[in-house]
Amino acid sequence: MKILGENSLSSKVIVGLKALFVAISVLDIVVLTLIMKTIKHITYNENIQGDIFDLNLFVMLILSGIIALLIIYQFIKIFQNIKNNVLFSKDNSNCLNIIGNSSLIISVVFTIISILVFFLMYKIEERFIHFVFTFAIILAVVFVAFGVGMKILNEIYKKAIEYKEENDLLI
């Protein structure tokens, strides 16, 4: 199977990424609706501890969802360039940099939310809250590793672009 050009692997990956983009967009709209309902419920309820947990969870989901949309959009741009046979370009390098930074931001979001969940809910002995805390910490570590990996890949990519430009000048 071809990797570059029309009807290639890269063009099929673009279709999958666009479908994922739409799915996450729909989920973000659903989560925004839940945030609005939770805020409305908090304003009319006196026992708000569980509602604050729900609100923190929804905010974590919406922030990470918006940043995930940015990451997917950058991947779409990279694969579009690959499809068009534009491999070593500064645009691809910029996309990798944005993906790395966005991944690190998501890890900070998950870390902050997990700390908030821990301090707001440490007295509650509900397994779901412990699961959310553990899951958020694991995701934070995964996104740190992914972000650092993308930053390293970006630096390697920049060096390859530099070598390509030097090679083009010599020819």
Side-chain angles (χ1 to χ4, degrees), residues 75-129:
F75 273 120
I76 289 171
K77 286 173 53 176
I78 289 172
F79 279 100
Q80 190 69 43
N81 285 341
I82 290 171
K83 177 183 167 188
N84 295 333
N85 209 6
V86 179
L87 301 176
F88 296 105
S89 70
K90 292 189 189 276
D91 186 43
N92 286 347
S93 177
N94 290 337
C95 289
L96 288 173
N97 190 40
I98 291 170
I99 290 169
N101 290 337
S102 299
S103 297
L104 294 173
I105 291 170
I106 285 179
S107 70
V108 169
V109 168
F110 278 114
T111 302
I112 290 171
I113 294 299
S114 62
I115 290 170
L116 285 174
V117 166
F118 180 76
F119 284 116
L120 290 175
M121 305 294 161
Y122 72 94
K123 291 181 181 178
I124 298 176
E125 291 296 326
E126 190 174 321
R127 287 184 176 207
F128 179 72
I129 293 172

Side-chain angles (χ1 to χ4, degrees), residues 87-90 92-93 96 151-169:
L87 301 176
F88 296 105
S89 70
K90 292 189 189 276
N92 286 347
S93 177
L96 288 173
K151 296 295 245 175
I152 291 169
L153 183 63
N154 183 37
E155 291 302 316
I156 294 169
Y157 206 80
K158 282 181 183 178
K159 210 52 148 163
I161 292 170
E162 185 180 308
Y163 290 149
K164 181 190 178 296
E165 289 173 351
E166 287 178 12
N167 190 24
D168 288 347
L169 290 175

